[in-house]
Amino acid sequence: MSSQPEPSAPARKTRVLILFGGRSGEHVISCATAGGVMRAIDRDRYEIVPVGITKAGQWVLAADEPERWEITAGNLPEVTATGGEVLLPLAVGQRGLRVLEPGEFPRELGEVDVVFPLLHGPFGEDGTLQGLLELADVPYVGAGVLASAVGMDKHFMKLVLAGQGLPIAPYTVIRPGEWDRNPVAWTETVAGLGLPVFVKPARAGSSLGITKVDDLADLPAAIDEARKHDPKVVVEAGVVGREIECAVLGGREGERPRASLPGEIVVTDTNHDFYDFEAKYLDEAGVELSCPADLPQHLVDEVRDVAVRTFEAVGAEGLSRVDVFVTDEGQVIVNEINTMPGFTPFSMYPRMWEKSGISYPELIDELIQLALERPTGLR
């Protein structure tokens, strides 16, 4: 009688640390992004370890409950210090996590294969977290240290893009202390850009702290609002044109990055002068998101080309969303690149890829695979 073969052990699932929350003003958006990923990730392929970062910077075990992290009219989710504190590996080659409960010895949480950092804004999207993961030699999704830092800082982003010959709008930068020393001179400088202008924190996202200024008398208040989020302020000339976005996905095996079909944002609620925080996250009825954008084919091709060139100019990896203006004359002007865009199922980044043939779960899988395939360290 022939012996029966031994049953094979089930394939080990890839262990993914989903990291979210953080110290920036975009904490809530990060939580919503994480909830979307938790809901959609393929549980047959991936085991997830949700870790939240509180607004005070404490790393804690978080609930694997997607609905808990959704933004609703009555709920803005937040990571709180209610779970065990997560202790990170400190040496290269170590990927094990430990959990410290009050009054207990640390317990092993096991190793992770890859980190999916879903943090937006400073202390997460700006290269600081990426540097920590590089020091530990841990693979992670998304842009590296330099690309993250450049993408986060609108000042240096514009310098890099202009240096690569990409079209940007006129702007000026007000560094810490400069406005207070000579507000009259800076008002004249801003006036030279023409009105309206947009006053923005240099290193914030999700439209936080942004003010549209139509009258120079309103400039001081706009600068004060921006400085609540960042001591460095960028003032941009208003561009008359359509707001078009394009999602970019890293290429496989040395291939160039891939660009989605472009999408367009149209703010229909007159309570919003532009696509601000409330329009993005709290007033969906007042915004129309259309993909593909209604553009002639030559402009679709140009938007996609500019998006890929922008991605390459800053050295991005994994994913980015590139926002541009398309003027009535058909000129494509880069507004910004976002190296960790909103990633809920309803965000423009996954919606543009869905219209381009990659579903939300497939997109999550592709990003994880891109992270696992690339080397750590210098590349």
Side-chain angles (χ1 to χ4, degrees):
M1 178 182 293
S2 61
S3 60
Q4 296 295 320
E6 291 286 333
S8 58
R12 176 183 172 275
K13 295 180 183 179
T14 300
R15 209 151 187 252
V16 182
L17 191 160
I18 295 179
L19 186 62
F20 62 100
R23 294 165 54 193
S24 84
E26 298 175 76
H27 182 103
V28 169
I29 313 307
S30 175
C31 292
T33 293
V37 171
M38 288 182 203
R39 189 183 300 279
I41 195 168
D42 185 350
R43 301 295 182 125
D44 292 331
R45 295 192 62 184
Y46 302 108
E47 176 189 355
I48 71 168
V49 181
V51 174
I53 302 177
T54 69
K55 291 182 177 180
Q58 184 179 3
W59 294 43
V60 297
L61 275 180
D64 183 4
E65 299 170 4
E67 64 282 353
R68 177 173 175 173
W69 307 110
E70 293 177 351
I71 295 178
T72 64
N75 178 55
L76 296 178
E78 179 181 339
V79 177
T80 57
T82 54
E85 184 173 2
V86 175
L87 307 179
L88 305 177
L90 299 178
V92 171
Q94 294 182 2
R95 298 182 184 174
L97 300 175
R98 294 183 298 163
V99 179
L100 180 62
E101 303 282 0
E104 302 289 340
F105 288 107
R107 61 181 174 87
E108 297 295 328
L109 189 60
E111 293 192 356
V112 296
D113 298 299
V114 62
V115 175
F116 203 144
L118 297 169
L119 295 107
H120 307 297
F123 313 111
E125 189 184 346
D126 60 352
T128 50
L129 172 67
Q130 290 74 17
L132 174 65
L133 297 174
E134 292 283 357
L135 286 172
D137 206 33
V138 175
Y140 58 92
V141 170
V145 175
L146 179 60
S148 297
V150 170
M152 186 80 258
D153 191 316
K154 297 176 178 65
H155 173 201
F156 290 100
M157 175 196 70
K158 291 175 185 294
L159 292 175
V160 169
L161 298 185
Q164 293 295 307
L166 286 153
I168 61 172
Y171 72 98
T172 191
V173 177
I174 304 176
R175 294 173 176 83
E178 289 184 333
W179 170 261
D180 296 321
R181 286 194 293 270
N182 200 338
V184 173
W186 278 108
T187 300
E188 292 175 355
T189 298
V190 171
L193 296 173
L195 294 175
V197 295
F198 286 86
V199 180
K200 303 179 177 182
R203 294 159 291 194
S206 295
S207 299
L208 291 170
I210 298 178
T211 305
K212 180 182 179 183
V213 174
D214 295 290
D215 186 328
L216 290 175
D218 299 325
L219 183 61
I223 290 174
D224 286 344
E225 178 62 28
R227 292 196 300 188
K228 291 177 183 177
H229 302 272
D230 190 338
K232 184 165 71 169
V233 175
V234 172
V235 183
E236 299 173 347
V239 176
V240 178
R242 296 163 63 183
E243 294 186 50
I244 305 294
E245 301 187 348
C246 190
V248 185
L249 187 60
R252 286 288 192 100
E253 299 178 353
E255 293 293 325
R256 290 192 76 191
R258 296 157 279 178
S260 71
L261 293 170
E264 181 171 17
I265 300 163
V266 179
V267 179
T268 57
D269 190 334
T270 56
N271 290 321
H272 306 288
D273 279 342
F274 61 98
Y275 194 38
D276 60 9
F277 180 89
E278 289 192 4
K280 282 184 177 181
Y281 302 108
L282 302 177
D283 185 17
E284 292 182 7
V287 177
E288 291 180 2
L289 308 176
S290 62
C291 186
D294 184 15
L295 293 170
Q297 188 59 48
H298 75 279
L299 280 178
V300 169
D301 295 341
E302 185 173 355
V303 167
R304 297 177 76 182
D305 176 64
V306 167
V308 169
R309 288 167 55 205
T310 300
F311 187 93
E312 292 175 327
V314 303
E317 296 171 284
L319 75 164
S320 288
R321 192 193 71 238
V322 177
D323 302 342
V324 304
F325 297 108
V326 176
T327 69
D328 293 341
E329 295 75 29
Q331 185 181 10
V332 177
I333 298 173
V334 180
N335 182 20
E336 64 180 13
I337 182 171
N338 191 319
T339 57
M340 181 48 70
F343 203 78
T344 72
F346 310 106
S347 299
M348 281 296 281
Y349 185 88
R351 286 179 63 177
M352 286 186 284
W353 275 118
E354 186 171 17
K355 293 293 185 180
S356 304
I358 302 178
S359 70
Y360 189 53
E362 290 170 336
L363 186 59
I364 293 170
D365 177 66
E366 179 70 4
L367 288 168
I368 293 172
Q369 294 307 312
L370 283 169
L372 289 169
E373 288 176 7
R374 80 183 185 196
T376 54
L378 296 177
R379 51 187 180 274

